[in-house]
């Protein structure tokens, strides 16, 4: 897919989508085979989301500007999006039937580690020879190298997950070799959300793990300075970077920070104000292909409303964060905070599966 994209080849085929559909068929087959052992409560989250989705869509279908394309949107992009959001719930049901979960999860994360190490070869090649095939943003002046990966957002989450695991090992063993290796790769990726996550990690380490009062004081003063002079500092930094300076001059600082997502949020806000009724605020309703903001919480709210947003919060509390220690919960919070101004966490099938398996890996290690 990366090669096709770089060469501007026209194709509607996404290899990852085909693989995910085949996996979903297999997962559903596993569930049907063990249907007698599936707890009804496990079906509650996806069932409620489906019901809420159709209520929101039906409520929105009365809108003048939406009614003509209601069926088209429902049966194309919106149903595809709904399936993406539901995928993790279906996967978790099937996961419960794996007998040796610890062995399974260990193998998954060993595989991810091997893939990232192998991909690092192409990241370095791209960095040294400045090859567009291995750039995060080919044919632009923006810095970043993602190797063989087609979706840099997907890669950034894999880096986050591996960094979390290596950081936990570092706290115990004080060996930082692998942690430093993956942090360097994450920096080379050139994605702002990745930088934000690493800043969160540094702050977490200094103020929660480190016992150095001097370090805490220095960073505390640094944070205070950023709060007071943050805009001026950011503008100064942006003006020294040709790509982002051009964006700043053309569209302003918000477009630099949010990579133009603020424009889509404004469009979505106008649509909600003009077209939503009370049912839509509760259950959502939007043409996702036209109003996908790539800001996680905003997208969940627009698609599922307050009801769906509440369900996802409950899901994270009851499934993802359950039985995690305080440090582990804080690490997950770093990932969630990053995704709130980025994207491709909840809606990415692979990312959500790996996030769930990350928390399972941590829980099994703690037992």
């Amino acid at each position: 897919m990366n090669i096709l994209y770089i060469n501007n080849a026209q194709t509607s085929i996404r290899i990852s989508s085909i693989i995910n559909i085949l996996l979903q068929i297999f997962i559903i087959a596993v569930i049907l085979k063990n249907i007698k052992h599936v707890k009804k409560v496990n079906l509650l989250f996806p069932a409620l989301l489906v019901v809420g989705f159709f209520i929101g869509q039906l409520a929105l279908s009365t809108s003048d500007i939406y009614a003509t394309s209601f069926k088209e949107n429902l049966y194309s992009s919106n149903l595809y999006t709904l399936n993406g959001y539901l995928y993790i719930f279906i996967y978790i049901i099937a996961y419960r039937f794996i007998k040796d979960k610890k062995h399974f999860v260990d193998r998954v994360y060993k595989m991810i580690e091997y893939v990232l190490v192998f991909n690092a070869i192409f990241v370095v090649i791209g960095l040294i020879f400045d090859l567009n095939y291995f750039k995060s943003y080919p044919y632009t002046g923006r810095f970043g190298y993602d190797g063989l990966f087609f979706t840099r957002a997907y890669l950034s989450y894999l880096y986050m997950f591996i960094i979390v695991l290596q950081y936990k090992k570092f706290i115990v063993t004080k060996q930082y070799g692998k942690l430093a290796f993956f942090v360097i790769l994450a920096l080379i990726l050139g994605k702002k959300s990745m930088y934000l996550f690493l800043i969160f990690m540094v702050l977490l380490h200094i103020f929660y793990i480190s016992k150095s009062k001097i370090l805490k004081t220095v960073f505390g003063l640094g944070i205070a300075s950023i709060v007071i002079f943050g805009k001026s500092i950011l503008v100064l930094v942006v003006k020294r970077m040709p790509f982002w300076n051009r964006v700043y001059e053309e569209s302003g600082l918000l477009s630099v920070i949010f990579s133009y997502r603020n424009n889509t949020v404004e469009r979505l806000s106008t649509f909600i104000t003009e077209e939503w009724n009370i049912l839509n605020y509760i259950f959502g309703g939007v043409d996702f292909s036209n109003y996908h903001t790539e800001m996680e919480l905003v997208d969940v709210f627009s698609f599922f409303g307050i009801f769906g947003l509440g369900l996802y919060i409950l899901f994270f509390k009851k499934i993802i964060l359950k039985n995690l220690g305080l440090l582990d919960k804080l690490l997950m919070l770093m990932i969630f905070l990053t995704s709130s101004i980025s994207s491709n966490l909840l809606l990415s099938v692979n990312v959500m599966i790996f996030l769930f398996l990350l928390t399972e890996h941590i829980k099994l290690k703690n037992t």
Side-chain angles (χ1 to χ4, degrees), residues 123-132 134-135 145:
V123 170
V124 173
I125 292 173
L127 182 62
I128 294 173
F129 297 103
D130 195 33
L131 299 177
N132 277 295
F134 305 135
K135 280 187 174 183
Y145 296 86

Side-chain angles (χ1 to χ4, degrees), residues 105 109 165 319-324 328 332 336 353-366:
V105 176
Y109 269 89
L165 291 180
I319 305 296
I320 301 296
L321 299 179
K322 186 178 180 181
N323 297 327
L324 287 178
D328 299 322
M332 292 305 109
F336 299 152
I353 288 175
F354 290 138
L355 174 65
F356 169 72
L357 294 178
L358 172 66
T359 58
E360 286 292 295
H361 183 76
I362 293 171
K363 291 170 189 177
L364 292 168
K365 285 284 186 182
N366 292 340

Side-chain angles (χ1 to χ4, degrees), residues 28 41 47 99 117 130 149 177 181 240 254-255 262-263 267 269 295 333 337:
I28 292 172
V41 68
K99 293 180 180 179
V117 170
D130 195 33
F149 277 76
F181 173 74
R240 292 180 176 274
L254 278 178
S255 293
N262 54 303
N263 296 334
R267 287 180 54 243
S269 178
M295 297 180 73
L333 179 62
L337 285 174

